[in-house]
């Protein structure tokens, strides 16, 4: 459920407060005490856990074949911030975390680190991931935000990390992931057919596109929309180009037109992901809702 939040003076550079919770922007300067480095962090309500760039991982005394059997052992790793400053450090493996994305699943080690504004860090579980292909070497997830912060990519209304969102053109309601880490909205789409299409995706901009989408309840709809542009999406696995269309997206009865990229999300729990291009100027995200 959405609530209206009125703020008299919204400052994104430093957290302000809504009730007992601080408001934080879509990026923030974060310190990691054990590392002694400062990171420009992406604030990502789409991520359950916080993640730090880590490579050259080595389990002290040798690694067991099953990653879970290494819990309790010491792990050495190297981390680096956006400016190229690096440090090698060790920490105790406190658990493993299985992360799902469009490429499948992977298991990562988790350690406890003190993260926050310099001088105000607090301990949280962090997964170790090679983020060398990502712009942000530290990603702040819901486990750091929950109960303490509201994420504001502009201002105005308040929304939780998952919300029922309607797309008028589909006649469907989606159990939607609200993801401040994503620039764009992304909709599950398969069986894409471009009218008079060619292999060069850029040359199909302006043409009509048919695609089939499906919500989390398995209800399907065939959609006909115009390709307005293509979008280059980068993630840890590399990059890909996706078609973008304009659709009416929002709370039921309060939809407004926004660009949406089309992606096969059949392996993902949420078939619609809401990014900053829908949130900007309209919503703040409270992962405790």
């Amino acid at each position: 459920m959405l609530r209206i939040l009125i703020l008299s003076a919204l400052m994104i550079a430093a957290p302000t407060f809504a009730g007992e919770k601080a408001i934080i922007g879509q990026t923030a300067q974060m310190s990691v005490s054990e590392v002694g480095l400062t990171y420009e962090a992406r604030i990502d309500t789409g991520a359950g856990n916080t993640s730090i760039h880590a490579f050259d991982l080595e389990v002290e005394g040798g690694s067991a074949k099953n990653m879970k059997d290494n819990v309790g052992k010491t792990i050495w790793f190297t981390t680096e911030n956006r400016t190229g400053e690096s440090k090698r450090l060790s920490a105790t493996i406190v658990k493993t975390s299985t992360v799902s994305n469009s490429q499948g699943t992977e298991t990562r080690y988790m350690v406890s680190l003190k993260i926050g504004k310099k001088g105000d860090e607090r301990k949280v579980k962090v997964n170790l991931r090679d983020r060398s292909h990502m712009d942000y070497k530290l990603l702040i997830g819901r486990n750091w935000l929950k109960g303490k912060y509201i994420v504001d990519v502009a201002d105005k209304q308040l929304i939780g990390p998952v919300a029922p969102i309607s797309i008028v053109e589909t006649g469907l309601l989606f159990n939607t992931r609200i993801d401040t880490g994503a620039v764009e909205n992304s909709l599950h789409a398969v069986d894409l057919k471009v009218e008079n299409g060619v292999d060069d995706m850029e040359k199909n901009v302006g043409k009509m596109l048919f695609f089939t989408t499906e919500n989390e309840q398995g209800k399907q709809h065939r959609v006909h929309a115009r390709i307005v542009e293509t979008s280059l999406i980068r993630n840890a696995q590399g990059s890909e180009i996706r078609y973008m269309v304009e659709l009416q997206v929002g709370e039921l009865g309060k939809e407004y037109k926004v660009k949406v990229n089309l992606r096969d999300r059949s392996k993902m729990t949420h078939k619609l992901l809401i990014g900053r291009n829908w949130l900007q100027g309209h919503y703040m995200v409270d992962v405790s809702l």
Side-chain angles (χ1 to χ4, degrees):
M1 179 177 290
L2 303 180
R3 293 179 286 160
I4 302 298
L5 183 68
I6 300 175
L7 303 175
S8 58
L10 182 62
M11 297 176 62
I12 300 303
T16 57
F17 293 85
E20 296 180 353
K21 294 175 184 174
I23 296 169
I24 194 168
Q26 56 190 300
T27 63
Q29 293 295 314
M30 292 283 179
S31 171
V32 182
S33 296
E34 294 85 352
V35 181
L37 299 177
T38 299
Y39 297 76
E40 183 178 1
R42 166 64 71 200
I43 311 302
D44 188 353
T45 62
N49 294 312
T50 298
S51 179
I52 194 169
H53 177 43
F55 55 98
D56 290 341
L57 276 64
E58 183 180 359
V59 178
E60 200 169 271
S63 176
K65 187 174 182 180
N66 187 330
M67 291 179 67
K68 288 185 177 180
D69 292 336
N70 291 320
V71 172
K73 296 181 180 179
T74 297
I75 188 167
W76 286 87
F77 62 95
T78 301
T79 186
E80 183 178 75
N81 64 14
R82 200 172 188 176
T83 61
E85 298 175 290
S86 65
K87 184 174 180 180
R88 188 144 181 92
L89 70 152
S90 64
T92 300
I93 301 169
V94 294
K95 65 179 294 187
T96 60
S97 172
T98 299
V99 178
S100 298
N101 54 39
S102 56
Q103 283 70 41
T105 61
E106 63 175 299
T107 301
R108 304 173 186 172
Y109 289 121
M110 297 192 76
V111 300
S112 290
L113 297 174
K114 292 182 72 174
I115 295 176
K117 297 287 184 179
K118 193 167 183 63
D120 191 29
E121 300 90 347
R122 56 191 172 84
K123 188 159 284 190
V124 67
K125 291 183 177 68
V126 180
N127 71 50
L128 306 179
R129 177 72 166 88
D130 186 342
R131 298 179 59 84
S132 55
H133 294 96
M134 311 299 285
D135 290 332
Y136 295 90
K137 308 308 180 189
L138 177 64
L139 181 145
I140 299 296
R142 298 193 301 276
N143 67 332
W144 188 89
L145 296 163
K146 193 168 185 179
K148 295 183 178 293
Y149 286 90
I150 293 169
V151 180
D152 181 19
V153 299
D155 66 340
K156 312 306 181 194
Q157 298 182 84
L158 197 63
I159 195 170
V162 176
I165 298 294
S166 161
I167 298 181
V168 172
E169 292 81 356
T170 69
L172 301 176
L173 198 64
F174 294 82
N175 186 34
T176 305
R177 168 62 69 200
I178 309 300
D179 187 352
T180 61
V183 175
E184 300 167 356
N185 310 300
S186 183
L187 175 64
H188 173 55
V190 295
D191 194 20
L192 278 64
K193 303 290 184 185
V194 181
E195 290 184 354
N196 302 313
V198 295
D199 290 339
D200 187 339
M201 293 178 68
E202 289 289 341
K203 292 181 179 178
N204 289 327
V205 172
K207 296 179 181 179
M208 299 303 293
L209 169 70
F210 286 94
F211 65 91
T212 298
T213 190
E214 179 179 334
N215 67 10
E216 292 75 16
Q217 289 72 47
K219 295 179 181 178
Q220 295 186 349
H221 189 82
R222 188 78 174 157
V223 181
H224 192 209
R226 188 176 302 278
I227 301 167
V228 294
E229 63 180 271
T230 59
S231 177
L232 177 65
I233 305 296
R234 291 190 297 167
N235 54 38
Q237 285 70 40
S239 61
E240 63 176 301
I241 298 174
R242 302 177 189 173
Y243 287 123
M244 294 194 76
V245 298
E246 285 189 329
L247 300 172
Q248 295 278 343
V249 180
E251 293 179 85
L252 192 61
K254 299 180 182 179
E255 301 89 349
Y256 55 90
K257 188 168 286 189
V258 67
K259 292 177 182 177
V260 179
N261 73 52
L262 304 177
R263 176 73 165 91
D264 184 346
R265 296 178 61 85
S266 55
K267 294 181 180 179
M268 310 299 286
T269 301
H270 301 280
K271 307 308 179 189
L272 173 63
L273 180 144
I274 289 294
R276 299 194 302 277
N277 67 330
W278 184 86
L279 294 164
Q280 194 86 40
H282 298 276
Y283 292 94
M284 290 187 294
V285 182
D286 181 355
V287 300
S288 301
L289 294 180

